[in-house]
Amino acid sequence: MNRELLHGKTAIVTGAASGMGKAIAKLFAQEGANVVLADLNKDAAASVAQELPEGKGHAVQTDVANDESVAAMVAETVKVYGSVDVLVNCAGVPQAFTPIEELTLEMWDKIMSVNTKSIFLTTRHAVPHMKAAKKGSIINIASIASIRARPGLNAYCASKGAAVMLSKALALELAPDQIRVNVINPGPAETPMLGKFINGDAETVEAGKKEIFIDSVPLGKLIQPEDIAQAALYLASDLSKIVTGEVMNVDGGRGI
Ligand SMILES: NC(=O)c1ccc[n+]([C@@H]2O[C@H](COP(=O)([O-])OP(=O)(O)OC[C@H]3O[C@@H](n4cnc5c(N)ncnc54)[C@H](O)[C@@H]3O)[C@@H](O)[C@H]2O)c1
């Protein structure tokens, strides 16, 4: 069914070259949005843009942890499509299970930069355009790891917990300008990222996916990228016009 729930809106989706970001970009374009696919992986983002309806996708190579790169991407969005109505912060990096004393400063900084600082950077550049329009929807993809920790995912859990609280602070701050800020907490999801949380050879990783992740989900299966895209569509569209500061677990019950 094509309801065009995002007709006339422009959405920036970071991390749109893969997994959940890719599914969000595709669904948003099907629903009428113009989509900027902002990802470090330029070729993969361009190839996803090609799969969208004609004229609906524009790939921009972006490092979400770099202020200049983010500023250029937002400027290009406005140049190409004229506005920024929706911002989905989906780009992220995983962490292989690592004891805290083995976690390097570089690993900590990278995880915090890509998963948390990125939200600060994209928001600071997108918000002036949203304020001028007196509307906007920002959707931050955190993780159920923000409320249910796992041993060895120290930096990852911290990065996602910070993303949730930053989102709540922004929801209050930006409400007078009718800019909504909400969070989706995915549970373990069937994307290229999942195996990267587990150290070891291919066999260990496959066994770990079942023992560590699938068995921790009450509904007994992994979350699909399209499940996250459906939640993002609700939060991006006017169906959720009175919803802000909300944290939506899309997790098969993992957060209970
Ligand atoms: N897969 C899971 O089990 C799971 C669970 C909970 C939350 N999440 C979160 O969901 C989001 C999407 O994850 P996914 O599973 O689709 O992952 P994925 O690995 O399939 O996709 C991540 C994308 O982010 C991009 N990216 C990485 N660093 C970047 C940077 N510095 N700048 C721009 N782009 C960058 C990658 O190129 C990739 O295209 C992430 O924030 C992740 O932490 C994932």
PDB file of all heavy atoms in Angstrom, residues 14-21 38-41 62-65 89-93 114-115 141-144 156 160 186-194 196-197, ligand 1:
ATOM      1  N   THR A  14      21.447   8.820   7.975  1.00  0.00           N
ATOM      2  CA  THR A  14      22.867   8.456   8.059  1.00  0.00           C
ATOM      3  C   THR A  14      22.972   6.930   8.148  1.00  0.00           C
ATOM      4  O   THR A  14      22.034   6.249   8.583  1.00  0.00           O
ATOM      5  CB  THR A  14      23.584   9.109   9.264  1.00  0.00           C
ATOM      6  OG1 THR A  14      23.160   8.471  10.467  1.00  0.00           O
ATOM      7  CG2 THR A  14      23.304  10.610   9.340  1.00  0.00           C
ATOM      8  N   GLY A  15      24.090   6.407   7.693  1.00  0.00           N
ATOM      9  CA  GLY A  15      24.265   4.951   7.707  1.00  0.00           C
ATOM     10  C   GLY A  15      23.344   4.256   6.719  1.00  0.00           C
ATOM     11  O   GLY A  15      23.005   3.084   6.883  1.00  0.00           O
ATOM     12  N   ALA A  16      22.956   4.968   5.651  1.00  0.00           N
ATOM     13  CA  ALA A  16      21.939   4.446   4.729  1.00  0.00           C
ATOM     14  C   ALA A  16      22.483   3.435   3.718  1.00  0.00           C
ATOM     15  O   ALA A  16      21.732   2.922   2.900  1.00  0.00           O
ATOM     16  CB  ALA A  16      21.275   5.608   3.993  1.00  0.00           C
ATOM     17  N   ALA A  17      23.783   3.145   3.794  1.00  0.00           N
ATOM     18  CA  ALA A  17      24.356   2.201   2.836  1.00  0.00           C
ATOM     19  C   ALA A  17      24.107   0.753   3.222  1.00  0.00           C
ATOM     20  O   ALA A  17      24.321  -0.154   2.409  1.00  0.00           O
ATOM     21  CB  ALA A  17      25.865   2.445   2.722  1.00  0.00           C
ATOM     22  N   SER A  18      23.645   0.508   4.446  1.00  0.00           N
ATOM     23  CA  SER A  18      23.578  -0.879   4.919  1.00  0.00           C
ATOM     24  C   SER A  18      22.474  -1.038   5.965  1.00  0.00           C
ATOM     25  O   SER A  18      21.984  -0.052   6.540  1.00  0.00           O
ATOM     26  CB  SER A  18      24.937  -1.252   5.537  1.00  0.00           C
ATOM     27  OG  SER A  18      24.914  -2.544   6.113  1.00  0.00           O
ATOM     28  N   GLY A  19      22.085  -2.287   6.192  1.00  0.00           N
ATOM     29  CA  GLY A  19      21.233  -2.649   7.336  1.00  0.00           C
ATOM     30  C   GLY A  19      19.988  -1.799   7.502  1.00  0.00           C
ATOM     31  O   GLY A  19      19.198  -1.603   6.577  1.00  0.00           O
ATOM     32  N   MET A  20      19.818  -1.277   8.708  1.00  0.00           N
ATOM     33  CA  MET A  20      18.596  -0.530   9.047  1.00  0.00           C
ATOM     34  C   MET A  20      18.494   0.773   8.266  1.00  0.00           C
ATOM     35  O   MET A  20      17.399   1.158   7.827  1.00  0.00           O
ATOM     36  CB  MET A  20      18.591  -0.193  10.536  1.00  0.00           C
ATOM     37  CG  MET A  20      18.588  -1.413  11.418  1.00  0.00           C
ATOM     38  SD  MET A  20      18.776  -0.906  13.144  1.00  0.00           S
ATOM     39  CE  MET A  20      19.295  -2.460  13.847  1.00  0.00           C
ATOM     40  N   GLY A  21      19.616   1.480   8.097  1.00  0.00           N
ATOM     41  CA  GLY A  21      19.588   2.750   7.374  1.00  0.00           C
ATOM     42  C   GLY A  21      19.109   2.548   5.942  1.00  0.00           C
ATOM     43  O   GLY A  21      18.334   3.351   5.410  1.00  0.00           O
ATOM     44  N   ALA A  38      23.448   9.424   3.689  1.00  0.00           N
ATOM     45  CA  ALA A  38      24.736   9.924   4.171  1.00  0.00           C
ATOM     46  C   ALA A  38      25.510   8.779   4.816  1.00  0.00           C
ATOM     47  O   ALA A  38      25.118   8.282   5.871  1.00  0.00           O
ATOM     48  CB  ALA A  38      24.497  11.046   5.180  1.00  0.00           C
ATOM     49  N   ASP A  39      26.578   8.361   4.176  1.00  0.00           N
ATOM     50  CA  ASP A  39      27.326   7.205   4.692  1.00  0.00           C
ATOM     51  C   ASP A  39      28.794   7.356   4.317  1.00  0.00           C
ATOM     52  O   ASP A  39      29.132   7.965   3.300  1.00  0.00           O
ATOM     53  CB  ASP A  39      26.763   5.907   4.085  1.00  0.00           C
ATOM     54  CG  ASP A  39      27.081   4.679   4.926  1.00  0.00           C
ATOM     55  OD1 ASP A  39      28.277   4.290   4.992  1.00  0.00           O
ATOM     56  OD2 ASP A  39      26.143   4.104   5.526  1.00  0.00           O
ATOM     57  N   LEU A  40      29.636   6.770   5.148  1.00  0.00           N
ATOM     58  CA  LEU A  40      31.068   6.731   4.876  1.00  0.00           C
ATOM     59  C   LEU A  40      31.340   5.947   3.590  1.00  0.00           C
ATOM     60  O   LEU A  40      32.255   6.259   2.831  1.00  0.00           O
ATOM     61  CB  LEU A  40      31.733   6.022   6.063  1.00  0.00           C
ATOM     62  CG  LEU A  40      33.152   6.320   6.467  1.00  0.00           C
ATOM     63  CD1 LEU A  40      33.422   7.803   6.587  1.00  0.00           C
ATOM     64  CD2 LEU A  40      33.449   5.626   7.816  1.00  0.00           C
ATOM     65  N   ASN A  41      30.543   4.914   3.378  1.00  0.00           N
ATOM     66  CA  ASN A  41      30.722   4.029   2.225  1.00  0.00           C
ATOM     67  C   ASN A  41      29.974   4.602   1.016  1.00  0.00           C
ATOM     68  O   ASN A  41      28.787   4.353   0.816  1.00  0.00           O
ATOM     69  CB  ASN A  41      30.196   2.633   2.582  1.00  0.00           C
ATOM     70  CG  ASN A  41      30.523   1.615   1.511  1.00  0.00           C
ATOM     71  OD1 ASN A  41      30.715   1.965   0.346  1.00  0.00           O
ATOM     72  ND2 ASN A  41      30.583   0.364   1.910  1.00  0.00           N
ATOM     73  N   THR A  62      29.747  10.828   3.729  1.00  0.00           N
ATOM     74  CA  THR A  62      29.768  11.610   4.971  1.00  0.00           C
ATOM     75  C   THR A  62      30.436  10.804   6.079  1.00  0.00           C
ATOM     76  O   THR A  62      30.143   9.617   6.243  1.00  0.00           O
ATOM     77  CB  THR A  62      28.311  11.906   5.438  1.00  0.00           C
ATOM     78  OG1 THR A  62      27.556  12.404   4.340  1.00  0.00           O
ATOM     79  CG2 THR A  62      28.284  12.894   6.585  1.00  0.00           C
ATOM     80  N   ASP A  63      31.280  11.475   6.846  1.00  0.00           N
ATOM     81  CA  ASP A  63      31.766  10.888   8.092  1.00  0.00           C
ATOM     82  C   ASP A  63      30.992  11.580   9.210  1.00  0.00           C
ATOM     83  O   ASP A  63      31.230  12.762   9.500  1.00  0.00           O
ATOM     84  CB  ASP A  63      33.266  11.112   8.247  1.00  0.00           C
ATOM     85  CG  ASP A  63      33.792  10.535   9.559  1.00  0.00           C
ATOM     86  OD1 ASP A  63      32.975  10.040  10.367  1.00  0.00           O
ATOM     87  OD2 ASP A  63      35.022  10.586   9.771  1.00  0.00           O
ATOM     88  N   VAL A  64      30.075  10.853   9.832  1.00  0.00           N
ATOM     89  CA  VAL A  64      29.194  11.488  10.825  1.00  0.00           C
ATOM     90  C   VAL A  64      29.948  11.936  12.079  1.00  0.00           C
ATOM     91  O   VAL A  64      29.411  12.672  12.890  1.00  0.00           O
ATOM     92  CB  VAL A  64      28.014  10.572  11.235  1.00  0.00           C
ATOM     93  CG1 VAL A  64      27.067  10.341  10.077  1.00  0.00           C
ATOM     94  CG2 VAL A  64      28.505   9.264  11.852  1.00  0.00           C
ATOM     95  N   ALA A  65      31.204  11.494  12.214  1.00  0.00           N
ATOM     96  CA  ALA A  65      31.997  11.901  13.377  1.00  0.00           C
ATOM     97  C   ALA A  65      32.837  13.141  13.083  1.00  0.00           C
ATOM     98  O   ALA A  65      33.601  13.588  13.934  1.00  0.00           O
ATOM     99  CB  ALA A  65      32.894  10.745  13.811  1.00  0.00           C
ATOM    100  N   ASN A  89      19.399   9.523  12.579  1.00  0.00           N
ATOM    101  CA  ASN A  89      20.782   9.182  12.928  1.00  0.00           C
ATOM    102  C   ASN A  89      20.872   7.677  13.135  1.00  0.00           C
ATOM    103  O   ASN A  89      20.536   7.159  14.197  1.00  0.00           O
ATOM    104  CB  ASN A  89      21.190   9.925  14.197  1.00  0.00           C
ATOM    105  CG  ASN A  89      21.493  11.376  13.923  1.00  0.00           C
ATOM    106  OD1 ASN A  89      22.374  11.699  13.124  1.00  0.00           O
ATOM    107  ND2 ASN A  89      20.737  12.270  14.553  1.00  0.00           N
ATOM    108  N   CYS A  90      21.304   6.997  12.070  1.00  0.00           N
ATOM    109  CA  CYS A  90      21.338   5.527  12.124  1.00  0.00           C
ATOM    110  C   CYS A  90      22.763   4.973  12.045  1.00  0.00           C
ATOM    111  O   CYS A  90      23.018   3.865  12.497  1.00  0.00           O
ATOM    112  CB  CYS A  90      20.494   4.973  10.969  1.00  0.00           C
ATOM    113  SG  CYS A  90      20.194   3.204  11.074  1.00  0.00           S
ATOM    114  N   ALA A  91      23.704   5.759  11.495  1.00  0.00           N
ATOM    115  CA  ALA A  91      25.080   5.258  11.385  1.00  0.00           C
ATOM    116  C   ALA A  91      25.591   4.867  12.767  1.00  0.00           C
ATOM    117  O   ALA A  91      25.313   5.549  13.761  1.00  0.00           O
ATOM    118  CB  ALA A  91      25.984   6.339  10.795  1.00  0.00           C
ATOM    119  N   GLY A  92      26.307   3.786  12.828  1.00  0.00           N
ATOM    120  CA  GLY A  92      26.858   3.367  14.116  1.00  0.00           C
ATOM    121  C   GLY A  92      27.938   2.329  13.913  1.00  0.00           C
ATOM    122  O   GLY A  92      28.077   1.763  12.823  1.00  0.00           O
ATOM    123  N   VAL A  93      28.715   2.131  14.975  1.00  0.00           N
ATOM    124  CA  VAL A  93      29.730   1.066  14.949  1.00  0.00           C
ATOM    125  C   VAL A  93      29.505   0.153  16.150  1.00  0.00           C
ATOM    126  O   VAL A  93      29.075   0.595  17.209  1.00  0.00           O
ATOM    127  CB  VAL A  93      31.176   1.622  14.967  1.00  0.00           C
ATOM    128  CG1 VAL A  93      31.554   2.184  13.608  1.00  0.00           C
ATOM    129  CG2 VAL A  93      31.368   2.655  16.069  1.00  0.00           C
ATOM    130  N   VAL A 114      31.295   7.961  16.764  1.00  0.00           N
ATOM    131  CA  VAL A 114      30.352   7.574  15.695  1.00  0.00           C
ATOM    132  C   VAL A 114      28.938   7.378  16.250  1.00  0.00           C
ATOM    133  O   VAL A 114      27.952   7.710  15.595  1.00  0.00           O
ATOM    134  CB  VAL A 114      30.837   6.293  14.969  1.00  0.00           C
ATOM    135  CG1 VAL A 114      29.859   5.910  13.863  1.00  0.00           C
ATOM    136  CG2 VAL A 114      32.230   6.498  14.391  1.00  0.00           C
ATOM    137  N   ASN A 115      28.825   6.859  17.462  1.00  0.00           N
ATOM    138  CA  ASN A 115      27.491   6.541  17.987  1.00  0.00           C
ATOM    139  C   ASN A 115      26.834   7.703  18.739  1.00  0.00           C
ATOM    140  O   ASN A 115      25.611   7.745  18.833  1.00  0.00           O
ATOM    141  CB  ASN A 115      27.562   5.331  18.926  1.00  0.00           C
ATOM    142  CG  ASN A 115      27.935   4.056  18.194  1.00  0.00           C
ATOM    143  OD1 ASN A 115      28.096   4.056  16.977  1.00  0.00           O
ATOM    144  ND2 ASN A 115      28.071   2.960  18.924  1.00  0.00           N
ATOM    145  N   ILE A 141      18.692   6.339  16.327  1.00  0.00           N
ATOM    146  CA  ILE A 141      18.697   4.882  16.500  1.00  0.00           C
ATOM    147  C   ILE A 141      19.743   4.568  17.572  1.00  0.00           C
ATOM    148  O   ILE A 141      20.954   4.635  17.317  1.00  0.00           O
ATOM    149  CB  ILE A 141      19.041   4.145  15.176  1.00  0.00           C
ATOM    150  CG1 ILE A 141      18.168   4.652  14.006  1.00  0.00           C
ATOM    151  CG2 ILE A 141      18.904   2.636  15.382  1.00  0.00           C
ATOM    152  CD1 ILE A 141      16.681   4.442  14.136  1.00  0.00           C
ATOM    153  N   ALA A 142      19.252   4.259  18.766  1.00  0.00           N
ATOM    154  CA  ALA A 142      20.169   3.889  19.858  1.00  0.00           C
ATOM    155  C   ALA A 142      20.260   2.364  19.877  1.00  0.00           C
ATOM    156  O   ALA A 142      20.590   1.745  18.856  1.00  0.00           O
ATOM    157  CB  ALA A 142      19.680   4.468  21.178  1.00  0.00           C
ATOM    158  N   SER A 143      19.906   1.732  20.986  1.00  0.00           N
ATOM    159  CA  SER A 143      19.946   0.259  21.067  1.00  0.00           C
ATOM    160  C   SER A 143      19.289  -0.158  22.373  1.00  0.00           C
ATOM    161  O   SER A 143      19.312   0.597  23.358  1.00  0.00           O
ATOM    162  CB  SER A 143      21.400  -0.221  21.069  1.00  0.00           C
ATOM    163  OG  SER A 143      21.448  -1.603  21.379  1.00  0.00           O
ATOM    164  N   ILE A 144      18.778  -1.363  22.383  1.00  0.00           N
ATOM    165  CA  ILE A 144      18.241  -1.884  23.639  1.00  0.00           C
ATOM    166  C   ILE A 144      19.393  -2.036  24.652  1.00  0.00           C
ATOM    167  O   ILE A 144      19.165  -2.084  25.873  1.00  0.00           O
ATOM    168  CB  ILE A 144      17.472  -3.216  23.398  1.00  0.00           C
ATOM    169  CG1 ILE A 144      16.482  -3.477  24.524  1.00  0.00           C
ATOM    170  CG2 ILE A 144      18.407  -4.384  23.175  1.00  0.00           C
ATOM    171  CD1 ILE A 144      15.393  -2.451  24.657  1.00  0.00           C
ATOM    172  N   TYR A 156      30.053   0.482  24.029  1.00  0.00           N
ATOM    173  CA  TYR A 156      28.852   0.505  23.176  1.00  0.00           C
ATOM    174  C   TYR A 156      27.623   0.869  24.012  1.00  0.00           C
ATOM    175  O   TYR A 156      26.834   1.740  23.630  1.00  0.00           O
ATOM    176  CB  TYR A 156      28.683  -0.859  22.500  1.00  0.00           C
ATOM    177  CG  TYR A 156      27.541  -0.892  21.503  1.00  0.00           C
ATOM    178  CD1 TYR A 156      27.712  -0.386  20.209  1.00  0.00           C
ATOM    179  CD2 TYR A 156      26.303  -1.418  21.834  1.00  0.00           C
ATOM    180  CE1 TYR A 156      26.672  -0.407  19.285  1.00  0.00           C
ATOM    181  CE2 TYR A 156      25.257  -1.437  20.923  1.00  0.00           C
ATOM    182  CZ  TYR A 156      25.448  -0.936  19.643  1.00  0.00           C
ATOM    183  OH  TYR A 156      24.397  -0.956  18.735  1.00  0.00           O
ATOM    184  N   LYS A 160      25.256   4.341  23.665  1.00  0.00           N
ATOM    185  CA  LYS A 160      23.824   4.315  23.361  1.00  0.00           C
ATOM    186  C   LYS A 160      23.005   4.921  24.508  1.00  0.00           C
ATOM    187  O   LYS A 160      21.982   5.569  24.269  1.00  0.00           O
ATOM    188  CB  LYS A 160      23.378   2.885  23.042  1.00  0.00           C
ATOM    189  CG  LYS A 160      24.028   2.309  21.774  1.00  0.00           C
ATOM    190  CD  LYS A 160      23.714   3.152  20.544  1.00  0.00           C
ATOM    191  CE  LYS A 160      24.139   2.488  19.233  1.00  0.00           C
ATOM    192  NZ  LYS A 160      23.773   3.281  18.047  1.00  0.00           N
ATOM    193  N   PRO A 186      16.588  -0.595  18.839  1.00  0.00           N
ATOM    194  CA  PRO A 186      16.456  -1.927  18.234  1.00  0.00           C
ATOM    195  C   PRO A 186      17.011  -2.993  19.180  1.00  0.00           C
ATOM    196  O   PRO A 186      17.978  -2.759  19.906  1.00  0.00           O
ATOM    197  CB  PRO A 186      17.331  -1.858  16.980  1.00  0.00           C
ATOM    198  CG  PRO A 186      17.666  -0.408  16.773  1.00  0.00           C
ATOM    199  CD  PRO A 186      17.596   0.218  18.139  1.00  0.00           C
ATOM    200  N   GLY A 187      16.377  -4.151  19.132  1.00  0.00           N
ATOM    201  CA  GLY A 187      16.982  -5.335  19.753  1.00  0.00           C
ATOM    202  C   GLY A 187      17.945  -5.942  18.753  1.00  0.00           C
ATOM    203  O   GLY A 187      18.164  -5.376  17.674  1.00  0.00           O
ATOM    204  N   PRO A 188      18.518  -7.121  19.069  1.00  0.00           N
ATOM    205  CA  PRO A 188      19.489  -7.728  18.149  1.00  0.00           C
ATOM    206  C   PRO A 188      18.874  -7.942  16.767  1.00  0.00           C
ATOM    207  O   PRO A 188      17.827  -8.561  16.645  1.00  0.00           O
ATOM    208  CB  PRO A 188      19.846  -9.063  18.811  1.00  0.00           C
ATOM    209  CG  PRO A 188      18.933  -9.215  19.974  1.00  0.00           C
ATOM    210  CD  PRO A 188      18.303  -7.910  20.275  1.00  0.00           C
ATOM    211  N   ALA A 189      19.546  -7.405  15.756  1.00  0.00           N
ATOM    212  CA  ALA A 189      18.935  -7.344  14.432  1.00  0.00           C
ATOM    213  C   ALA A 189      19.790  -8.043  13.384  1.00  0.00           C
ATOM    214  O   ALA A 189      21.018  -8.052  13.472  1.00  0.00           O
ATOM    215  CB  ALA A 189      18.731  -5.883  14.045  1.00  0.00           C
ATOM    216  N   GLU A 190      19.102  -8.595  12.391  1.00  0.00           N
ATOM    217  CA  GLU A 190      19.769  -9.338  11.329  1.00  0.00           C
ATOM    218  C   GLU A 190      20.355  -8.369  10.300  1.00  0.00           C
ATOM    219  O   GLU A 190      19.740  -8.088   9.272  1.00  0.00           O
ATOM    220  CB  GLU A 190      18.761 -10.280  10.665  1.00  0.00           C
ATOM    221  CG  GLU A 190      19.414 -11.377   9.905  1.00  0.00           C
ATOM    222  CD  GLU A 190      18.519 -12.602   9.798  1.00  0.00           C
ATOM    223  OE1 GLU A 190      17.303 -12.496  10.009  1.00  0.00           O
ATOM    224  OE2 GLU A 190      19.078 -13.661   9.489  1.00  0.00           O
ATOM    225  N   THR A 191      21.512  -7.812  10.621  1.00  0.00           N
ATOM    226  CA  THR A 191      22.223  -6.906   9.705  1.00  0.00           C
ATOM    227  C   THR A 191      23.702  -7.309   9.737  1.00  0.00           C
ATOM    228  O   THR A 191      24.119  -8.086  10.614  1.00  0.00           O
ATOM    229  CB  THR A 191      22.127  -5.431  10.176  1.00  0.00           C
ATOM    230  OG1 THR A 191      22.976  -5.269  11.321  1.00  0.00           O
ATOM    231  CG2 THR A 191      20.703  -5.020  10.522  1.00  0.00           C
ATOM    232  N   PRO A 192      24.514  -6.737   8.828  1.00  0.00           N
ATOM    233  CA  PRO A 192      25.944  -7.079   8.838  1.00  0.00           C
ATOM    234  C   PRO A 192      26.618  -6.774  10.181  1.00  0.00           C
ATOM    235  O   PRO A 192      27.659  -7.339  10.502  1.00  0.00           O
ATOM    236  CB  PRO A 192      26.516  -6.188   7.731  1.00  0.00           C
ATOM    237  CG  PRO A 192      25.368  -5.947   6.809  1.00  0.00           C
ATOM    238  CD  PRO A 192      24.151  -5.893   7.668  1.00  0.00           C
ATOM    239  N   MET A 193      26.008  -5.880  11.003  1.00  0.00           N
ATOM    240  CA  MET A 193      26.650  -5.514  12.268  1.00  0.00           C
ATOM    241  C   MET A 193      26.635  -6.629  13.308  1.00  0.00           C
ATOM    242  O   MET A 193      27.565  -6.745  14.113  1.00  0.00           O
ATOM    243  CB  MET A 193      25.983  -4.257  12.860  1.00  0.00           C
ATOM    244  CG  MET A 193      26.633  -3.769  14.131  1.00  0.00           C
ATOM    245  SD  MET A 193      25.886  -2.308  14.860  1.00  0.00           S
ATOM    246  CE  MET A 193      26.441  -1.006  13.796  1.00  0.00           C
ATOM    247  N   LEU A 194      25.592  -7.454  13.301  1.00  0.00           N
ATOM    248  CA  LEU A 194      25.364  -8.335  14.464  1.00  0.00           C
ATOM    249  C   LEU A 194      26.574  -9.223  14.782  1.00  0.00           C
ATOM    250  O   LEU A 194      27.011  -9.303  15.930  1.00  0.00           O
ATOM    251  CB  LEU A 194      24.111  -9.194  14.258  1.00  0.00           C
ATOM    252  CG  LEU A 194      23.684  -9.969  15.505  1.00  0.00           C
ATOM    253  CD1 LEU A 194      23.289  -9.037  16.643  1.00  0.00           C
ATOM    254  CD2 LEU A 194      22.517 -10.907  15.189  1.00  0.00           C
ATOM    255  N   LYS A 196      29.580  -8.757  14.285  1.00  0.00           N
ATOM    256  CA  LYS A 196      30.781  -8.017  14.699  1.00  0.00           C
ATOM    257  C   LYS A 196      30.829  -7.783  16.206  1.00  0.00           C
ATOM    258  O   LYS A 196      31.824  -7.312  16.736  1.00  0.00           O
ATOM    259  CB  LYS A 196      30.862  -6.682  13.954  1.00  0.00           C
ATOM    260  CG  LYS A 196      31.018  -6.872  12.455  1.00  0.00           C
ATOM    261  CD  LYS A 196      31.094  -5.539  11.730  1.00  0.00           C
ATOM    262  CE  LYS A 196      30.968  -5.737  10.228  1.00  0.00           C
ATOM    263  NZ  LYS A 196      30.516  -4.546   9.529  1.00  0.00           N
ATOM    264  N   PHE A 197      29.714  -8.074  16.905  1.00  0.00           N
ATOM    265  CA  PHE A 197      29.736  -7.950  18.359  1.00  0.00           C
ATOM    266  C   PHE A 197      30.477  -9.130  18.998  1.00  0.00           C
ATOM    267  O   PHE A 197      30.802  -9.105  20.171  1.00  0.00           O
ATOM    268  CB  PHE A 197      28.304  -7.915  18.915  1.00  0.00           C
ATOM    269  CG  PHE A 197      27.604  -6.593  18.695  1.00  0.00           C
ATOM    270  CD1 PHE A 197      26.601  -6.461  17.752  1.00  0.00           C
ATOM    271  CD2 PHE A 197      27.961  -5.478  19.445  1.00  0.00           C
ATOM    272  CE1 PHE A 197      25.951  -5.245  17.556  1.00  0.00           C
ATOM    273  CE2 PHE A 197      27.322  -4.252  19.256  1.00  0.00           C
ATOM    274  CZ  PHE A 197      26.313  -4.143  18.305  1.00  0.00           C
TER     275      PHE A 197
HETATM  276  N1  LIG B   1      22.395  -4.813  14.318  1.00  0.00           N
HETATM  277  C1  LIG B   1      22.044  -4.814  15.586  1.00  0.00           C
HETATM  278  O1  LIG B   1      21.904  -5.857  16.223  1.00  0.00           O
HETATM  279  C2  LIG B   1      21.759  -3.499  16.292  1.00  0.00           C
HETATM  280  C3  LIG B   1      21.057  -3.549  17.505  1.00  0.00           C
HETATM  281  C4  LIG B   1      20.765  -2.365  18.169  1.00  0.00           C
HETATM  282  C5  LIG B   1      21.154  -1.161  17.622  1.00  0.00           C
HETATM  283  N2  LIG B   1      21.830  -1.137  16.442  1.00  0.00           N
HETATM  284  C6  LIG B   1      22.194   0.186  15.911  1.00  0.00           C
HETATM  285  O2  LIG B   1      21.474   0.396  14.716  1.00  0.00           O
HETATM  286  C7  LIG B   1      22.214   1.259  13.831  1.00  0.00           C
HETATM  287  C8  LIG B   1      22.300   0.614  12.465  1.00  0.00           C
HETATM  288  O3  LIG B   1      23.024  -0.605  12.586  1.00  0.00           O
HETATM  289  P1  LIG B   1      23.014  -1.751  11.473  1.00  0.00           P
HETATM  290  O4  LIG B   1      22.857  -3.017  12.201  1.00  0.00           O
HETATM  291  O5  LIG B   1      22.106  -1.381  10.379  1.00  0.00           O
HETATM  292  O6  LIG B   1      24.560  -1.663  11.023  1.00  0.00           O
HETATM  293  P2  LIG B   1      25.318  -1.829   9.614  1.00  0.00           P
HETATM  294  O7  LIG B   1      26.710  -2.158   9.987  1.00  0.00           O
HETATM  295  O8  LIG B   1      24.554  -2.718   8.701  1.00  0.00           O
HETATM  296  O9  LIG B   1      25.264  -0.340   9.023  1.00  0.00           O
HETATM  297  C9  LIG B   1      25.944   0.717   9.629  1.00  0.00           C
HETATM  298  C10 LIG B   1      26.228   1.768   8.554  1.00  0.00           C
HETATM  299  O10 LIG B   1      26.859   2.893   9.209  1.00  0.00           O
HETATM  300  C11 LIG B   1      27.892   3.341   8.358  1.00  0.00           C
HETATM  301  N3  LIG B   1      28.911   4.072   9.129  1.00  0.00           N
HETATM  302  C12 LIG B   1      29.769   3.579  10.059  1.00  0.00           C
HETATM  303  N4  LIG B   1      30.571   4.551  10.507  1.00  0.00           N
HETATM  304  C13 LIG B   1      30.208   5.697   9.865  1.00  0.00           C
HETATM  305  C14 LIG B   1      30.662   7.034   9.900  1.00  0.00           C
HETATM  306  N5  LIG B   1      31.679   7.420  10.689  1.00  0.00           N
HETATM  307  N6  LIG B   1      30.038   7.947   9.108  1.00  0.00           N
HETATM  308  C15 LIG B   1      29.037   7.577   8.284  1.00  0.00           C
HETATM  309  N7  LIG B   1      28.568   6.311   8.200  1.00  0.00           N
HETATM  310  C16 LIG B   1      29.146   5.383   8.982  1.00  0.00           C
HETATM  311  C17 LIG B   1      28.473   2.083   7.718  1.00  0.00           C
HETATM  312  O11 LIG B   1      29.203   2.381   6.542  1.00  0.00           O
HETATM  313  C18 LIG B   1      27.188   1.284   7.465  1.00  0.00           C
HETATM  314  O12 LIG B   1      26.666   1.560   6.182  1.00  0.00           O
HETATM  315  C19 LIG B   1      23.554   1.494  14.524  1.00  0.00           C
HETATM  316  O13 LIG B   1      23.537   2.744  15.196  1.00  0.00           O
HETATM  317  C20 LIG B   1      23.639   0.355  15.517  1.00  0.00           C
HETATM  318  O14 LIG B   1      24.463   0.676  16.627  1.00  0.00           O
HETATM  319  C21 LIG B   1      22.142  -2.270  15.765  1.00  0.00           C
END
